Amino acid sequence: MATNTEAPSFYEDVENLKKLCNFLHTSEGPRVREALLMEKRVTYLKGEKLVNFLAEPKRGTKWPKDLPRFESRQDAIAVCKELCKLQFILRCDKQGKGELSMVRNREFDESGYFAWIYEGNKTMSHFMTAALVIGFFCCVCFQIWPTFLKVFVWYMSVTLLLFIFFLISARAFIFLCVWIIGYDLWIWPNLFDEQLGFWDSFKPFISFKPTGPGQLLYRLGVGVGFFSFCYWAITQPSEFDGFVAAQGDFLKDLYEGNLLSDMSQEDKENIDKPKMQSLEDLLKDLDASEEEGNLKMEELSEEEKLDSMFDTLMDEEEDIDEDEE
């Protein structure tokens, strides 16, 4: 399969082919795409790209030392045919965006598309599945966690939330400042691209290019508003300082968990219970009503006080007469 004397016997061994497939599955291997094949998500690539990578790897590729290099396309095609025969890769057709279908022809062809069936060592996958199940049960049992673990999770969650908020705000602020002068500057431009993996979302670090045509009036309007706000903030130090102090109090209450009412959980638990005042609350209401009556009496004039006392006496006499009858 290769021009040197070691390669023909080397790639005839299935275990060595598995080593080659493990390398091709890494980030150093050829670029693949994701699609659905019989309702299962798989990665696929074109046969020509696989042969090109095996015959002439891209510059900077770290080829494993224990794998012989291919010195001709014929050697690479022969290995690809062997991968098809062992069903490490499966030929398929593209039906639409993100969809593949099976074909009868299982032979390798550079013009065809091939889905990876070989998944390599499943130890890490089993470990992640077990970790997911254990993590799920830990979340379910959150109520019986120790207090220090609950506090740790709360602080970690709030810190992560604030970090994401400040990261988004900083990216937008830097973009706005540079956009006003006529350039688009994004830090981690692919940060929120759902089609990329975790590490690929942070590549490249910076994207810098001139703005498109027809944005001059918009940039002028936004620039006037932005610098007007900055001037107001500088000339109004007392209000701005109050705003900064309010944000500090907000962060303090957020970490301490004081943004939600302490009675909210109690009210939720006692939603079906009848709401009746206790004896202590009734006595407090009675004392408050007596104090209110005394205050009203103090505000009355002497004549009004006499009239009020006379009316009270008349009411008491009427009550006595009714009782005698």
Side-chain angles (χ1 to χ4, degrees), residues 161-178:
L161 177 64
L162 292 176
F163 173 76
I164 295 175
F165 174 77
F166 284 117
L167 176 62
I168 296 173
S169 301
R171 292 174 74 247
F173 179 77
I174 295 174
F175 170 81
L176 179 64
C177 294
V178 180

Side-chain angles (χ1 to χ4, degrees), residues 8 18 63 77 122:
K18 290 182 179 180
W63 193 275
I77 292 174
K122 303 292 292 182

Side-chain angles (χ1 to χ4, degrees), residues 16-260:
N16 293 331
L17 286 175
K18 290 182 179 180
K19 291 181 181 179
L20 178 63
C21 292
N22 290 333
F23 166 67
L24 296 176
H25 271 293
T26 63
S27 59
E28 295 288 339
R31 188 175 180 180
V32 296
R33 298 181 179 180
E34 291 187 355
L36 292 177
L37 178 62
M38 299 180 64
E39 299 183 356
K40 181 180 179 181
R41 184 166 295 277
V42 296
T43 57
Y44 74 98
L45 76 169
K46 198 170 183 179
E48 183 180 3
K49 291 185 177 180
L50 180 58
V51 174
N52 292 338
F53 179 83
L54 293 177
E56 298 180 1
K58 57 185 178 180
R59 182 176 298 179
T61 301
K62 298 179 181 179
W63 193 275
K65 296 181 180 180
D66 57 343
L67 295 178
R69 297 285 295 269
F70 298 89
E71 298 184 3
S72 66
R73 293 183 64 86
Q74 288 74 16
D75 298 334
I77 292 174
V79 169
C80 293
K81 290 181 178 180
E82 191 68 20
L83 294 178
C84 281
K85 185 184 299 184
L86 295 173
Q87 295 186 355
F88 287 175
I89 56 177
L90 183 65
R91 187 168 181 175
C92 52
D93 282 341
K94 293 183 66 175
Q95 292 294 326
K97 187 176 181 180
E99 292 185 5
L100 301 174
S101 63
M102 301 283 292
V103 295
R104 293 183 177 180
N105 185 7
R106 301 297 178 87
E107 297 295 329
F108 181 81
D109 187 357
E110 293 187 50
S111 62
Y113 292 92
F114 294 87
W116 277 106
I117 304 301
Y118 175 80
E119 297 179 350
N121 192 351
K122 303 292 292 182
T123 303
M124 181 57 66
S125 177
H126 296 329
F127 174 77
M128 295 299 295
T129 303
L132 180 63
V133 174
I134 295 174
F136 173 76
F137 280 110
C138 289
C139 294
V140 171
C141 300
F142 182 78
Q143 295 295 332
I144 62 176
W145 283 20
T147 304
F148 74 93
L149 281 180
K150 294 181 179 179
V151 174
F152 172 77
V153 171
W154 171 256
Y155 273 70
M156 184 177 63
S157 302
V158 173
T159 303
L160 180 61
L161 177 64
L162 292 176
F163 173 76
I164 295 175
F165 174 77
F166 284 117
L167 176 62
I168 296 173
S169 301
R171 292 174 74 247
F173 179 77
I174 295 174
F175 170 81
L176 179 64
C177 294
V178 180
W179 179 74
I180 291 174
I181 62 178
Y183 292 93
D184 291 343
L185 174 62
W186 280 111
I187 299 176
W188 291 321
N190 298 321
L191 184 62
F192 300 107
D193 192 344
E194 297 180 354
Q195 297 181 353
L196 299 178
F198 178 78
W199 297 113
D200 292 335
S201 299
F202 297 94
K203 300 176 184 178
F205 178 72
I206 290 179
S207 173
F208 186 79
K209 60 182 179 180
T211 58
Q215 300 183 8
L216 179 60
L217 295 178
Y218 297 103
R219 291 191 286 108
L220 290 176
V222 174
V224 171
F226 176 73
F227 289 112
S228 300
F229 172 79
C230 294
Y231 177 78
W232 171 84
I234 295 173
T235 56
Q236 302 291 331
S238 58
E239 296 183 9
F240 187 74
D241 293 342
F243 173 77
V244 174
Q247 296 304 312
D249 295 337
F250 172 79
L251 293 178
K252 183 179 179 181
D253 292 338
L254 183 62
Y255 271 104
E256 294 180 355
N258 295 331
L259 292 180
L260 298 178

